Amino acid sequence: MTLATVLLVDDEVHSLASMRMALEDDFDCLTAANAEEAVKLMDENYVQVIFCDQRMPGRTGVEFLTEVRDRWPETVRIIITGYTETNDMISAINEAGIYQFMTKPWHPDQLLMTAKNASQLFELARENDRMSLEQKYLHHTMETKLEQQRKALREGLGFENVLRAPNSPLNSVLTAARQYASFDVPVLLTGEAGVGKTQIARAMHYTSLRSDRSFYELNCAGMSAEMIELELFGAKRGAIPGLQTNKIGLLQKADRGTLFLNGVESLSPELQLTLLRVVTEGAFQPVGGYETVSTNMRLLAGSHVDLRARVADGLFRADLYYALSVTELNIPPLRARSTDIAVLAQNLLFEAAQAHGKPVHGLSDNALDFLENYDWPGNIKELENEVTRMLIFAQEPILGPELISRHILQADPSEDGADRRAEEVLTSEGTLKDRVELIEMRILRETLTRLKWNKSRAAAELGLSRVGLRAKLDRYGITPPRRAPATEE
């Protein structure tokens, strides 16, 4: 191991020799007869400890060590003085920042022990400085990484993640949602089930001032009142059978964050009253508890139906409705966003392909025509299910219309469209002949599309001759879609 360096400063030669003799086995000793020589040695060497006599010609020991403190503050400074000078040394020690002073005559063991302690103090101070620098660096690095993660999270879950076409009817809704996101007020999102209310609520959270906090979501539709109460408010231990510990509710978990409460139209009158207190006062009581718990969360509410109608019918509290709908967003259904279907379908297909490990290149234009002209009563979830089913049966990298479900194929792939549900045809107005012909036209189109417009196979399946099939196609004006050539065999 490299020995620590000690600088000995004294104008008496025999004192320097005595100090060197006491320390040289454990330290690398440098000697100087005055402050000027000592400064030169400090410039040329890495000194950990200084022993300096107080009375020297020229500058005193305190004056020299004061300069050392300013230029080499990490070096441990020790001054040696006589008994008669101890009272004067107290203020001098404070001025020079001296670690310790020794009185003459000193004992070799005392000198050696003082030198070892000073050397250890120097190493500890160096280690402390190193750890402080590392801690500052790691803290800065962690803050940078955390901010990068937050930024990536915000960008990945923000409004740019809501897929839509450039001319989508959803654009105006998202523009308003961006405005509402920065204002810490309740927002009511209405729309049919599956239109993407949760995704928009999440985007609003990650665009708000609460984006560094958690986002929670609870869909009340189909849940019992007891289960909703337990999930929202939490419960004390023993409040319900089998609960051995306290359960923290979402209202408490979402403190300083955002809670999206979907399906609020299904809340019981008792829960509506309790929720009103949460919205207006920010306070609630856990199940089985008597203390009041406060929460500073932002509440976003979602409803699958028109709450105004529920209020008019007396099924929903008017005061709660107005408390939840400081601002309101109506999310259009998928059937009103036909331009978005192609973007959504392709994206859902690639996600499903990645999840199931079955690579594909996309959907054909003819397949997209049929998908765009269907009503999608189940909205995005129904579209996702259909695309996944097509992927399962696909044998080629480009998925064609023959993979689409039969009830979707019966929709006319044109701008005007056609009746898309058999129930509408059966209950609509018109003569029997007109209604039967409409059903016959839909069956013909669905069969030909499913069989890739092989007329011979379609005629055989429908129990028609090829001449009879051609006649019906001519009569109804049914022609192959783009890039789907009809074949006789």
Side-chain angles (χ1 to χ4, degrees), residues 363-371 399-401 404 413 481-484:
L363 296 160
S364 69
D365 292 337
N366 295 333
L368 290 174
D369 285 338
F370 283 99
L371 296 179
L399 279 61
I404 299 176
R482 50 183 174 179
R483 290 179 293 281

Side-chain angles (χ1 to χ4, degrees), residues 275-294:
L275 184 61
L276 177 63
R277 183 189 180 195
V278 175
V279 178
T280 56
E281 302 178 13
F284 65 95
Q285 289 181 331
V287 177
Y290 298 98
E291 76 280 8
T292 298
V293 180
S294 60

Side-chain angles (χ1 to χ4, degrees), residues 42 46-50 68-69 72-77 97 122:
M42 289 292 294
Y46 182 57
V47 178
Q48 285 91 342
V49 182
I50 296 178
V68 171
R69 180 196 62 184
W72 301 280
E74 71 278 3
T75 301
V76 181
R77 300 169 296 280
F122 177 87

Side-chain angles (χ1 to χ4, degrees), residues 348 376 380-390:
L348 291 171
W376 300 109
I380 297 177
K381 187 59 181 177
E382 184 183 5
L383 177 62
E384 180 183 1
N385 293 345
E386 181 64 26
V387 169
T388 303
R389 195 192 69 82
M390 293 174 65

Side-chain angles (χ1 to χ4, degrees), residues 191-467:
E192 299 177 3
V195 295
K197 294 190 291 293
T198 301
Q199 186 183 29
I200 294 177
R202 185 181 290 110
M204 292 180 65
H205 167 72
Y206 285 106
T207 313
S208 70
L209 298 177
R210 298 175 181 258
S211 60
D212 58 338
R213 298 292 175 174
S214 299
F215 173 84
Y216 294 93
E217 185 260 339
L218 178 66
N219 193 342
C220 303
M223 295 180 64
S224 65
E226 293 77 13
M227 183 60 66
I228 296 174
E229 187 178 21
L230 184 64
E231 290 295 323
L232 280 181
F233 307 114
K236 290 296 183 180
R237 181 179 60 183
I240 59 175
L243 186 62
Q244 301 299 324
T245 59
N246 293 335
K247 178 178 174 60
I248 306 300
L250 291 179
L251 291 176
Q252 193 168 351
K253 289 181 180 180
D255 185 37
R256 300 174 67 186
T258 303
L259 172 63
F260 177 53
L261 195 59
N262 204 1
V264 293
E265 73 279 357
S266 61
L267 295 178
S268 65
E270 294 77 16
L271 280 176
Q272 291 180 35
L273 180 61
T274 308
L275 184 61
L276 177 63
R277 183 189 180 195
V278 175
V279 178
T280 56
E281 302 178 13
F284 65 95
Q285 289 181 331
V287 177
Y290 298 98
E291 76 280 8
T292 298
V293 180
S294 60
T295 178
N296 179 23
M297 56 88 199
R298 182 184 187 184
L299 183 63
L300 303 178
S303 175
H304 305 321
V305 299
D306 183 8
L307 281 186
R308 289 179 180 271
R310 289 293 182 99
V311 172
D313 296 337
L315 301 176
F316 198 85
R317 296 181 64 97
D319 48 3
L320 178 58
Y321 167 74
Y322 291 114
L324 294 176
S325 61
V326 176
T327 55
E328 188 169 346
L329 290 171
N330 183 260
I331 318 300
L334 196 55
R335 60 180 172 274
R337 301 162 47 194
S338 59
T339 56
D340 295 345
I341 292 177
V343 178
L344 290 169
Q346 296 280 20
N347 184 73
L348 291 171
L349 174 63
F350 292 136
E351 288 181 351
Q354 183 178 9
H356 298 287
K358 186 176 181 179
V360 293
H361 294 167
L363 296 160
S364 69
D365 292 337
N366 295 333
L368 290 174
D369 285 338
F370 283 99
L371 296 179
E372 289 175 348
N373 284 274
Y374 177 62
D375 279 334
W376 300 109
N379 292 293
I380 297 177
K381 187 59 181 177
E382 184 183 5
L383 177 62
E384 180 183 1
N385 293 345
E386 181 64 26
V387 169
T388 303
R389 195 192 69 82
M390 293 174 65
L391 175 69
I392 294 173
F393 291 101
Q395 300 297 323
E396 298 177 358
I398 299 295
L399 279 61
E402 67 279 359
L403 300 171
I404 299 176
S405 298
R406 300 180 69 171
H407 67 284
I408 300 177
L409 289 177
Q410 293 176 2
D412 183 10
S414 64
E415 294 183 359
D416 297 332
D419 292 327
R420 299 176 178 86
R421 300 177 184 177
E423 293 81 2
E424 295 180 2
V425 178
L426 296 175
T427 59
S428 62
E429 300 294 331
T431 64
L432 177 62
K433 178 182 178 183
D434 293 338
R435 293 159 69 184
V436 169
E437 286 181 349
L438 184 56
I439 294 178
E440 185 178 43
M441 180 175 62
R442 293 173 58 180
I443 294 175
L444 288 171
R445 184 180 297 106
E446 177 269 322
T447 304
L448 284 165
T449 303
R450 178 166 44 83
L451 299 178
K452 299 184 178 181
W453 281 82
N454 187 310
K455 294 181 181 179
S456 295
R457 293 179 58 191
E461 180 176 313
L462 296 172
L464 299 172
S465 65
R466 287 185 294 179
V467 175

Side-chain angles (χ1 to χ4, degrees), residues 22-46:
L23 302 176
E24 61 184 357
D25 290 341
D26 297 277
F27 295 93
D28 182 13
C29 298
L30 303 175
T31 59
N34 51 56
E36 285 69 24
E37 293 181 10
V39 171
K40 292 180 180 179
L41 290 173
M42 289 292 294
D43 286 331
E44 298 171 356
N45 298 273
Y46 182 57

